[in-house]
Amino acid sequence: ATWNLSSTFRHRLLDQDGNMALLHSRARPDLGEDFFVQPNFHYYSSAADPDLEKSWGLKNTGQMIPDLGNGIVGKDIGAELAWNLASNASPVTVAVLDSGIDLAHEEFLAQLWSNVDGSHGKNFIKPNSPPQDDNGHGTFCSGIIAASPNNGKGTRGVAPNARVMVVKMLDAQGTGTSADAVAAIEYAVQNGAQIINASWGGSQFDAALYDAVRRAGDRGVLFIAASGNDGKDNDHDSKPTFPASFRLSNIISVAAYDNKDALAKFSNFGKETVLLGAPGVAIYSTGIGGYRFGDGTSFAAPFVSGTAALVKGVVPSLTLQSLKDRLLWTSEPIHYYERERTETGGRLHAGNAVRDFRPVRPATPNKWEEFSSSSSTLHPYVNKTVESYRFFRPGASHVRVHFQKFDTESCCDKVVLKDTEGNVITEYKGSLGDFWSADALGDTLTVEFTSDFSMTAYGFDIDAYGIVD
């Protein structure tokens, strides 16, 4: 090939991951003209964020994180790619319904929404006072969403274009009421919030709160909720976490994952009600007067809220449903079995979301060969039971079982499914009726049943198993 390039020619390119490369030509007196392609390296002014390395959820290089250890490179939300693609994102208002914000914090000097009266939100705990944080939780969540970039301080938030509407509805102890939550949602909607972050919850179904969230959806507001920190299945537990478990189309319920893409032990999950995961262990963000680390689904939700603000800022015309779908289906698939823990089986990926790249997701086979079986617990089973049932088919690529009836004590007696290598697929407990289980990869599925020392119930009957060769 012949290249005819000016001695001053330079052209910027994108590689397959959306990163900048540089095609450069130069004149050399001794050799004539040559050219080369190189990475388009980034250089930063002294006003960068000195603690950004601590924010593994934004960029995971495998760095050591206190009380967490080294992560796995790339198990993050792809923030750098998102920032490169969203540099011209328009402002988006995110209402953080929480304990307020440290109004004097250096990270929020340019990141707060302002009302016509000059206020930055509302205090429903002390109505005549500004929404100053007296707990720290709201400041932490707000920092994940929108801490100032490149200000020479601390770290930075996911969405530099986000404007935080501070709506204080939790007190100094981090508690709030139905009345304050409903009023906070109504205030946020009436004042133009496009996204609401709700990093709080309770175990009682609250009809007034349900209606308030539904009405917000009717106005096009996306509601991001923490799934809860009880380590339970919100789909089937008798007391799931609300508002995360409301079956409403404008809600995204978020689970917490660590820097190795493992679901946090404390995180609630649910194949139907918890939609995706985000970083939520050893997260570094803003605290009152400074910075700190924190754990919880409370801190996974703001990563999603920040990403929603970035995407909405790039494509303001997106409808509520289109924005929600984009966040869900651009998430990075974690592992085949994660589909049993969240609807998408994925970890939030801001870079994918901004460019609307949707990875191929692993699918359950649709052609099964079925065989009769007869495996049952005692009816009722007894306390302190430990039983194991093995289903093996040489050469099979998938194995699953059919529970004709399933009824165990919902809090403490459970069935755990494991595959050929002993990996946990999922667990079941409570009154589930008749259903096909999740499938194991490989030729073996093991069903392990344990009961504690208190109440007992019917147990289960397995009347069939299925395989895929």
Side-chain angles (χ1 to χ4, degrees):
T2 300
W3 293 75
N4 182 17
L5 301 174
S6 161
S7 62
T8 59
F9 175 80
R10 289 189 298 175
H11 188 69
R12 289 198 285 184
L13 307 169
L14 286 176
D15 68 14
Q16 62 181 357
D17 294 320
N19 299 312
M20 281 288 185
L22 189 71
L23 175 63
H24 180 68
S25 173
R26 63 188 173 189
R28 298 178 58 178
D30 53 340
L31 299 175
E33 186 176 47
D34 68 352
F35 63 92
F36 58 89
V37 177
Q38 69 166 54
N40 196 23
F41 299 111
H42 289 86
Y43 297 93
Y44 301 95
S45 73
S46 58
D49 305 291
D51 290 340
L52 188 58
E53 179 73 7
K54 298 177 182 178
S55 297
W56 69 263
L58 299 175
K59 184 177 182 180
N60 190 344
T61 61
Q63 67 266 49
M64 172 67 73
I65 301 297
D67 300 322
L68 186 58
N70 295 96
I72 298 176
V73 176
K75 305 300 184 182
D76 54 46
I77 70 162
E80 282 193 335
L81 173 59
W83 296 332
N84 287 338
L85 299 174
S87 58
N88 295 318
S90 58
V92 173
T93 302
V94 181
V96 179
L97 276 56
D98 215 289
S99 61
I101 200 170
D102 181 356
L103 294 166
H105 201 291
E106 58 201 3
E107 294 286 5
F108 301 116
L109 299 181
Q111 302 301 109
L112 299 181
W113 169 85
S114 292
N115 205 345
V116 291
D117 61 4
S119 65
H120 301 301
K122 189 170 179 64
N123 187 337
F124 286 94
I125 304 299
K126 297 179 180 179
N128 295 322
S129 300
Q132 176 64 34
D133 194 354
D134 49 8
N135 175 274
H137 193 268
T139 299
F140 198 99
C141 293
S142 297
I144 295 169
I145 296 169
S148 294
N150 302 322
N151 65 345
K153 308 289 185 181
T155 182
R156 65 179 290 177
V158 176
N161 65 311
R163 297 296 175 261
V164 176
M165 179 189 294
V166 188
V167 189
K168 181 174 173 60
M169 42 74 66
L170 300 179
D171 62 20
Q173 287 70 49
T175 61
T177 67
S178 294
D180 289 337
V182 169
I185 292 169
E186 291 175 346
Y187 174 88
V189 173
Q190 290 168 5
N191 285 278
Q194 294 149 291
I195 299 156
I196 289 176
N197 189 88
S199 290
W200 41 268
S203 59
Q204 300 296 324
F205 181 85
D206 185 333
L209 182 61
Y210 178 93
D211 285 343
V213 177
R214 178 184 54 77
R215 289 194 298 270
D218 292 342
R219 297 280 295 274
V221 178
L222 184 62
F223 194 94
I224 313 295
S227 66
N229 299 331
D230 305 301
K232 63 188 179 185
D233 184 344
N234 278 343
D235 289 357
H236 299 117
D237 196 90
S238 60
K239 291 187 175 181
T241 295
F242 298 108
S245 297
F246 289 150
R247 308 274 179 140
L248 290 170
S249 61
N250 64 319
I251 287 183
I252 295 179
S253 173
V254 188
Y257 282 76
D258 69 12
N259 61 351
K260 301 176 183 66
D261 261 355
L263 180 71
K265 291 183 179 179
F266 58 76
S267 179
N268 290 0
F269 55 93
K271 187 176 182 179
E272 297 176 3
T273 54
V274 181
L275 304 190
L276 82 169
V281 184
I283 303 304
Y284 188 73
S285 186
T286 46
I288 296 175
Y291 304 84
R292 66 181 180 88
F293 285 95
D295 300 333
T297 58
S298 281
F299 309 139
F303 279 96
V304 181
S305 295
T307 300
L310 267 185
V311 174
K312 185 71 172 175
V314 171
V315 192
S317 61
L318 283 176
T319 64
L320 165 61
Q321 192 60 52
S322 296
L323 176 59
K324 178 179 175 179
D325 288 345
R326 190 150 161 171
L327 293 169
L328 298 185
W329 303 114
T330 60
S331 62
E332 192 73 23
I334 296 172
H335 186 278
Y336 187 79
Y337 297 149
E338 288 307 310
R339 302 172 314 141
E340 302 303 318
R341 298 172 178 87
T342 67
E343 180 181 340
T344 62
R347 170 196 8 93
L348 174 76
H349 198 285
N352 288 349
V354 171
R355 61 180 176 164
D356 199 19
F357 172 72
R358 307 191 180 202
V360 176
R361 317 194 85 78
T364 301
N366 54 20
K367 293 183 179 180
W368 291 84
E369 189 176 0
E370 297 176 7
F371 303 89
S372 296
S373 179
S374 181
S375 302
S376 301
T377 63
L378 293 174
H379 305 313
Y381 57 83
V382 297
N383 289 327
K384 299 184 179 179
T385 294
V386 178
E387 296 177 347
S388 182
Y389 307 80
R390 182 171 178 264
F391 298 85
F392 169 66
R393 183 79 171 189
S397 61
H398 297 257
V399 183
R400 66 180 184 178
V401 296
H402 183 260
F403 290 99
Q404 185 179 32
K405 183 173 182 178
F406 190 105
D407 183 23
T408 69
E409 183 191 9
S410 61
C411 74
C412 310
D413 301 339
K414 63 184 179 181
V415 165
V416 176
L417 304 188
K418 295 184 178 180
D419 67 10
T420 308
E421 298 178 355
N423 298 311
V424 174
I425 302 166
T426 191
E427 66 177 49
Y428 300 120
K429 56 186 178 180
S431 182
L432 304 181
D434 137 59
F435 65 100
W436 279 100
S437 76
D439 55 306
L441 296 176
D443 60 11
T444 304
L445 171 63
T446 301
V447 178
E448 296 181 352
F449 173 57
T450 58
S451 64
D452 69 354
F453 51 83
S454 58
M455 296 174 59
T456 62
Y458 178 85
F460 63 76
D461 296 315
I462 295 174
D463 63 349
Y465 70 97
I467 65 104
V468 176
D469 287 328

